[in-house]
Amino acid sequence: QGAQTVTEKHSDNTQRRPTKLSALQMVVELGIPVSTVIDVGVLNQTYELIRCFPDKKHALFEPVPAHEQAIRQAYKNIDYDLHQCAISDQDGTSFLRLIRNDQQAISHSQLADAKGEDCIPVEQHKLDTIIRDHPYAPPFLLKVDVDGKDIEVLKGALEILPQCACVVVEATAPRIGPTLSLLSQQGFFLWDIVDICYSHGTLWQVDLVFLPKKYQAEYSMKSPKEPATNHHFPWVPIS
């Protein structure tokens, strides 16, 4: 008999699913404290963070000017600050390459080493520099979605990582290992892998969800043979 993919069943009979929304809902359900959401790479909005943390301060980072109006509309009922700069591992200036879809709308952007086609100049900062100058209250939930420059963002956030209660990083397949290594060294363990994407039948990217190692004994991998607890319910196949 073939192996089944399984997930946990919540107390309200909704399934625990391999999505960012489901993972963040579990973070809330577990009571992991979050005072400020730091969202690096907003594009137009991060729906899951709005839904799960509507009453928290959101520090938003999005360098593409064309997204400003959509962001302000999406967050009109949220307490937020919008920082229109790129985040990396150094302060200064750089170039941002704009990537467009078939309708010529900007679907992605990425820091570039030099000016090229469809590039715009941008300010760039370390996250540590920005957070140091603003009175954002920890503990933080840090989300990073910067189209391949996640390691650089994390290297520029070493001062604030100890104040993070959860870190969510979109990582392409080659960067999964380095991201795991860096965050493990900074005191985190991999708690979940969600929003798995394939390209041409091959793994392309995932969202990695990390919690501080102080939570590892309570919230890390449990055998399905162990007795159910408040946060571990009977397992059922994903439908």
Side-chain angles (χ1 to χ4, degrees), residues 203-223:
L203 180 66
W204 176 254
Q205 70 182 30
V206 299
D207 277 31
L208 305 172
V209 185
F210 297 86
L211 297 179
K213 288 181 179 178
K214 66 182 179 182
Y215 295 129
Q216 191 161 10
E218 185 173 2
Y219 300 144
S220 63
M221 186 171 61
K222 303 287 185 181
S223 166

Side-chain angles (χ1 to χ4, degrees), residues 101-238:
N101 59 24
D102 292 340
Q103 288 73 45
Q104 294 303 301
I106 299 169
S107 59
H108 298 79
S109 62
Q110 188 178 67
L111 282 172
D113 296 329
K115 186 176 181 179
E117 185 178 355
D118 216 357
C119 284
I120 60 173
V122 293
E123 289 187 24
Q124 70 173 26
H125 295 287
K126 296 189 295 184
L127 203 52
D128 286 338
T129 302
I130 300 291
I131 302 304
R132 194 185 302 134
D133 293 337
H134 290 78
Y136 296 131
F140 303 127
L141 186 151
L142 171 60
K143 187 224 83 177
V144 180
D145 179 355
V146 289
D147 299 320
K149 296 291 186 178
D150 47 284
I151 297 292
E152 289 81 354
V153 171
L154 295 172
K155 287 181 177 179
L158 298 182
E159 291 179 13
I160 72 162
L161 281 174
Q163 301 176 75
C164 292
C166 179
V167 179
V168 182
V169 183
E170 182 190 84
T172 54
R175 289 200 162 211
I176 292 173
T179 302
L180 289 170
S181 177
L182 189 156
L183 285 172
S184 177
Q185 293 171 17
Q186 297 302 313
F188 293 86
F189 74 97
L190 179 63
W191 180 64
D192 206 352
I193 301 175
V194 297
D195 291 351
I196 300 170
C197 297
Y198 294 89
S199 177
H200 302 280
T202 302
L203 180 66
W204 176 254
Q205 70 182 30
V206 299
D207 277 31
L208 305 172
V209 185
F210 297 86
L211 297 179
K213 288 181 179 178
K214 66 182 179 182
Y215 295 129
Q216 191 161 10
E218 185 173 2
Y219 300 144
S220 63
M221 186 171 61
K222 303 287 185 181
S223 166
K225 296 180 181 180
E226 293 186 35
T229 66
N230 289 338
H231 303 303
H232 297 274
F233 305 102
W235 287 39
V236 296
I238 294 177

